[in-house]
Amino acid sequence: MDAAAEYDGLTEASAGRAMAAACSQVGLRFGQAELLRLGENAIYALATEQTVVRVARSDTEETLHKVQKELLVARWLMSQNFPAVAPREDIVQPVQSEGRLVTFWEYVPPSPVEPTLTDLGGLLRDLHSLPASELGLPLLDPFPIMERRLALAHGVPQADVDYLAEACAKSQAAFHSIMSDAPKGVIHGDAHRGNLLARGSQILLIDYEAVAIGPQAWDLIPTATAVDRFGLSPGEYAVFCRTYGQDVTDWPGYGPLRTVRELGMTTWLMQLAQSGKAAAEFAVRMESLRKEERDRRWHAL
């Protein structure tokens, strides 16, 4: 599969074919599958099978390493009694299907409990206290995935792609300086309220694709940034800081790492920005980045 095919291929239709073929291989019924999310991966709920199916973009060697890491991290978190979702241990995985890798996970039924930033702060505090040296986790490096997105970009202005590529290149020196100097530990890598899930009254931290070793402030920046970008109230942010025990905006590395995270969020959105709300929001983000408007409101999609 060439690069363009890989990018164009992750549609609801093609992801659904991969999900169906993989379920057939392992004997799961998929007739009532519900698509929960379509982004870097496609996530399906099979409520009748008590299973969540995760379809990766490809079946390359790089994707295989990433998927194997997700499974490893989940099992490690379970061994540490950390509130996490478990892979289906009765299924040999990952499964190769339609040019993609598919994994199978515990299904958590809907709950009336809404996870809060207090939950997120507490889970990150606990995660960051775990020793993960035995896992062999990779060092945090958000640039390769952004570079791949830019290389595969289509349906957006070339001037925007060029600007983002240049901004990523300019950000790397400051990022690697921080990586060299700052204390490092296990990080979730994509820590926000959308990656919390309620199982009854218990709150779980989910999605282990970006787990790595890096400055643990990386996990705090999305919530700090949300005050300017997504309308989070300063009061809610203060509660998050008290729960975790730190206000990352007081840290000298906050500005440079925030820039890298915002480039990551924008290149992620770029993949969906061919039309509609995603295209309009991508334009807003590009204008704010160009004008260095750090308090310009963005909107989550």
Side-chain angles (χ1 to χ4, degrees):
M1 180 182 294
D2 62 25
E6 177 185 340
Y7 180 91
D8 291 338
L10 193 64
T11 63
E12 184 171 346
S14 63
R17 289 195 296 271
M19 178 274 299
C23 288
S24 294
Q25 288 184 53
V26 300
L28 294 177
R29 294 167 296 172
F30 56 86
Q32 297 181 17
E34 176 188 1
L35 178 62
L36 301 178
R37 187 185 306 174
L38 181 63
E40 291 298 330
N41 304 273
I43 314 296
Y44 293 87
L46 307 181
T48 57
E49 296 284 5
Q50 296 294 291
T51 300
V52 166
V53 183
R54 187 179 179 95
V55 181
R57 277 189 171 269
S58 70
D59 60 357
T60 63
E61 192 72 19
E62 181 180 4
T63 301
L64 176 61
H65 290 320
K66 185 181 295 185
V67 168
Q68 289 174 331
K69 181 194 71 175
E70 293 172 36
L71 296 166
L72 176 68
V73 168
R75 291 164 180 149
W76 171 71
L77 290 173
M78 301 298 292
S79 74
Q80 300 292 317
N81 295 315
F82 187 89
V85 290
R88 284 279 304 263
E89 298 294 7
D90 58 327
I91 297 173
V92 177
Q93 48 181 324
V95 169
Q96 193 171 37
S97 175
E98 300 282 320
R100 310 189 189 283
L101 292 176
V102 180
T103 51
F104 302 88
W105 300 79
E106 166 193 7
Y107 171 75
V108 179
S111 169
V113 176
E114 187 72 24
T116 68
L117 288 178
T118 300
D119 296 317
L120 179 61
L123 286 168
L124 290 177
R125 180 195 62 220
D126 295 345
L127 176 70
H128 292 169
S129 70
L130 295 177
S133 57
E134 72 275 15
L135 287 179
L137 291 171
L139 286 175
L140 172 68
D141 187 356
F143 291 99
I145 191 169
M146 291 194 281
E147 291 165 355
R148 281 197 300 276
R149 292 167 182 165
L150 291 166
L152 298 171
H154 76 296
V156 296
Q158 185 61 42
D160 290 344
V161 177
D162 293 342
Y163 175 86
L164 289 169
E166 183 177 355
C168 286
K170 287 179 177 178
S171 297
Q172 290 208 39
F175 174 83
H176 290 302
S177 177
I178 291 170
M179 282 291 293
S180 175
D181 297 339
K184 290 177 281 293
V186 61
I187 59 172
H188 180 269
D190 191 23
H192 55 82
R193 195 157 36 184
N195 276 331
L196 300 182
L197 192 62
R199 180 169 57 199
S201 61
Q202 184 186 41
I203 306 301
L204 312 176
L205 183 63
I206 66 172
D207 192 352
Y208 316 121
E209 182 176 14
V211 171
I213 298 296
Q216 294 176 326
W218 182 258
D219 280 346
L220 309 180
I221 290 173
T223 305
T225 304
V227 176
D228 294 331
R229 291 304 196 194
F230 299 107
L232 178 68
S233 75
E236 286 183 280
Y237 178 63
V239 171
F240 170 81
C241 292
R242 285 197 299 272
T243 303
Y244 181 82
Q246 178 186 349
D247 182 352
V248 72
T249 64
D250 295 333
W251 179 56
Y254 171 68
L257 288 193
R258 170 178 168 169
T259 295
V260 175
R261 293 226 61 143
E262 290 188 342
L263 289 170
M265 288 190 285
T266 303
T267 58
W268 176 86
L269 181 64
M270 179 188 67
Q271 300 173 110
L272 311 175
Q274 286 68 52
S275 62
K277 292 182 179 179
E281 176 62 19
F282 179 67
V284 167
R285 296 188 186 187
M286 289 304 307
E287 183 179 29
S288 70
L289 291 174
R290 283 191 169 95
K291 294 182 177 180
E292 299 185 0
E293 297 172 334
R294 295 176 69 85
D295 58 353
R296 176 81 175 268
R297 282 291 301 276
W298 290 2
H299 303 88
L301 297 179

